[in-house]
Amino acid sequence: SLVGSEMCISDSPHPGTRTEQVATAYEAPHNETQEALAGIWADVLGLEKVGIHDNFFELGGDSILSIQVISHARRTGLHLTSKLMFVHQTIAELASAVERAGADATVVGDEAPEGSGRVELTPVQRWFLAEHPSAPDHYAMSVHLSLAPDTDPVVLGRALEAVVGHHDALRMRYAMDDAGGWVQEYGERPEGLLGVRDLTAAADIEQALDDAALEAQHALDLRSGTVVRGVFLRMPDAAPPRLFLAVHHLVMDGVSWRIVLEDLAVAYQELAAGRPAALGAKSSSYRTWSRRLAELVRSGGLDHETAYWRKAVSASVEIPCDGPAASTYGEVTVESSTLDRSVTEALLQRVPGAFRTRINDVLLTALGRVLRDWAGAPVTIALEGHGREELFDDVDLSRTVGWFTTIYPVTLDVAEGPWETALKAVKKTLRRLPGRGLGFGALRYLSEPGSAAHTALAAAPHPKISFNYLGQWDGTADGDGLIRGRLDALGADQAPGGPRPHLIDIVAAVSDGELRVDWLYAPSAHSPATVRALADDFATALRQIAVAAGN
């Protein structure tokens, strides 16, 4: 249900990164700043403790988790940035840099506390509205959660309203202008966001759950500004209650889910205790980001990337198909692979230190080898990034909700040979990406018609395969708090008749300490045997890399 979120891509480790980090002896924090950072890292990474010389990325950290660290740190008064975390990858290094940088950190504040008026559409929003002319209302991101046994639905409804009121993007509404194009603007604060379904006497509990989810997904309406809908689910046999929450993808991405779920738990706790739902200071608005990005593109600020992306879109090759090269959301099925805790831990923690790399590079290296063997040539994929790049010193997106995802073409050329050599080749490819991929969509969808960038990119075909690493989701549940766990997807997030932009969507995420990879495909285009073989080969390649790191 979280397909279409974002992968985390970043530069290779800083030259000073210590490759033996996993084996480094633990050293406790020496001061208040180090102690605060160590606590935040441990919470975000799901570790019992973190030493001041442990490397964030060699402990399994990634770009998405670094955003969570930044968000948590700023709540304690420590002003971090992604750049600081990538340059200073241990607490010992980072603590002194935070102390020097903190006083100068600023956040843009050019609008009222509660946004109003029109908001420029971002590249990914323009992509969606252009590619989904049929049933655009039915395109959600959803979560299905188990809750604390004593959860009060009335308080939960108030908490959800508080979260939506705090994050202005969650009250967007959409209309068509006189020229037939979509416009986006802030709407009023909605009420009645949470329904209640009593399933205690349901004859078919699975069907009842799906029906409740579908009702929420079908209730989303862009023109009225209904972009959030939740259902509190009372379960039979005294089982803990559940929450199904659907949000239109136009205002939501994977990083935003982490923010929303964290704030929902905080708001519920405060309201249940009789206190106001104080969610802290806002970071920069979605409107500020979209406006600044559009101004950057239209002033020529990204024109230097045009040649790179023109070459990137020309490199695509056709992939093998077992049937027609088209599909709809209604026919999608899934083949999945799960790597056990030991292999997942090796990929997250041992491989980065052994090969001076990160989990992102590892996944793409294994995928590139598998796809090349299948297609007989390097395959170009649509790679998703979180899109929250630090382009502007006075814009802070660490706690901003919205759809920031970047989607851009990357050709994975992974030849035969040792995995270490392959990893180096993929790292080199990713380092050459300008601006971590943000410029492709920005130039394609924000450039003026007739400009060199628009001419080169506007009609470029989409790659047939997409890849999306969602990072680690263990931190979204709390054994003592409101949210106790994430459950399987329900309903249908997309309209069944809608055309899919890709033939195969590969989605990877770590949950409960295990890496799961889902291959979403249409049997009309690829047989189950074909996709099963690809999924198995990918899992085998990852296991081989894990073994190679131990040699």
Side-chain angles (χ1 to χ4, degrees), residues 388-399:
R388 296 166 188 255
E389 309 301 341
E390 293 173 347
L391 294 180
F392 315 106
D393 291 339
D394 57 349
V395 175
D396 167 25
L397 302 176
S398 61
R399 288 193 47 76

Side-chain angles (χ1 to χ4, degrees), residues 207-489:
Q207 185 61 54
L209 287 168
D210 250 12
D211 289 346
L214 283 168
E215 183 176 323
Q217 290 156 333
H218 290 157
L220 301 181
D221 186 304
L222 296 178
R223 289 170 176 80
S224 69
T226 305
V227 295
V228 179
R229 184 66 67 192
V231 188
F232 179 86
L233 302 162
R234 289 197 177 96
M235 302 298 293
D237 303 323
R242 301 181 183 185
L243 170 66
F244 180 79
L245 190 58
V247 181
H248 200 285
H249 207 334
L250 275 171
V251 297
M252 178 59 63
D253 60 21
V255 174
S256 296
W257 266 125
R258 290 164 166 85
I259 297 168
V260 165
L261 295 181
E262 180 181 288
D263 281 0
L264 184 64
V266 170
Y268 181 87
Q269 181 181 25
E270 294 299 294
L271 291 170
R275 297 185 293 266
L279 297 177
K282 295 182 180 182
S283 53
S284 302
S285 70
Y286 196 67
R287 179 168 65 181
T288 294
W289 166 256
S290 62
R291 174 176 57 80
R292 296 287 292 276
L293 181 59
E295 290 172 350
L296 178 67
V297 172
R298 290 162 190 166
S299 68
L302 296 179
D303 283 356
H304 62 283
E305 296 186 12
T306 301
Y308 178 94
W309 294 117
R310 181 189 295 113
K311 183 178 180 181
V313 298
S314 68
S316 183
V317 300
E318 291 299 319
I319 63 171
C321 286
D322 303 323
S327 69
T328 61
Y329 287 108
E331 59 178 320
V332 170
T333 189
V334 182
E335 292 287 343
S336 301
S337 295
T338 301
L339 300 181
D340 63 31
R341 286 174 175 266
S342 63
V343 176
T344 300
E345 183 178 0
L347 293 173
L348 291 173
Q349 299 182 14
R350 190 165 67 237
V351 172
F355 295 129
R356 296 177 62 82
T357 188
R358 298 179 187 162
I359 182 61
N360 314 316
D361 309 326
V362 175
L363 294 170
L364 290 174
T365 300
L367 180 63
R369 174 78 57 86
V370 169
L371 294 179
R372 188 180 190 276
D373 290 347
W374 175 50
V379 173
T380 300
I381 66 169
L383 192 56
E384 299 197 14
H386 60 67
R388 296 166 188 255
E389 309 301 341
E390 293 173 347
L391 294 180
F392 315 106
D393 291 339
D394 57 349
V395 175
D396 167 25
L397 302 176
S398 61
R399 288 193 47 76
T400 306
V401 168
W403 195 6
F404 293 89
T405 304
T406 53
I407 307 172
Y408 48 96
V410 175
T411 300
L412 300 176
D413 190 355
V414 186
E416 294 299 323
W419 284 114
E420 182 174 8
T421 303
L423 281 163
K424 288 180 179 178
V426 170
K427 283 170 53 180
K428 186 176 181 180
T429 296
L430 298 179
R431 280 199 302 272
R432 287 199 300 261
L433 280 170
R436 287 181 283 276
L438 179 142
F440 175 74
L443 288 167
R444 177 169 180 159
Y445 293 103
L446 298 179
S447 293
E448 296 291 348
S451 66
H454 189 270
T455 301
L457 303 178
H462 298 295
K464 300 300 185 182
I465 297 177
S466 74
F467 183 78
N468 184 9
Y469 176 54
L470 297 175
Q472 300 181 54
W473 278 87
D474 294 338
T476 59
D478 183 350
D480 298 323
L482 171 70
I483 299 170
R484 300 299 172 90
R486 292 178 62 240
L487 305 170
D488 289 341

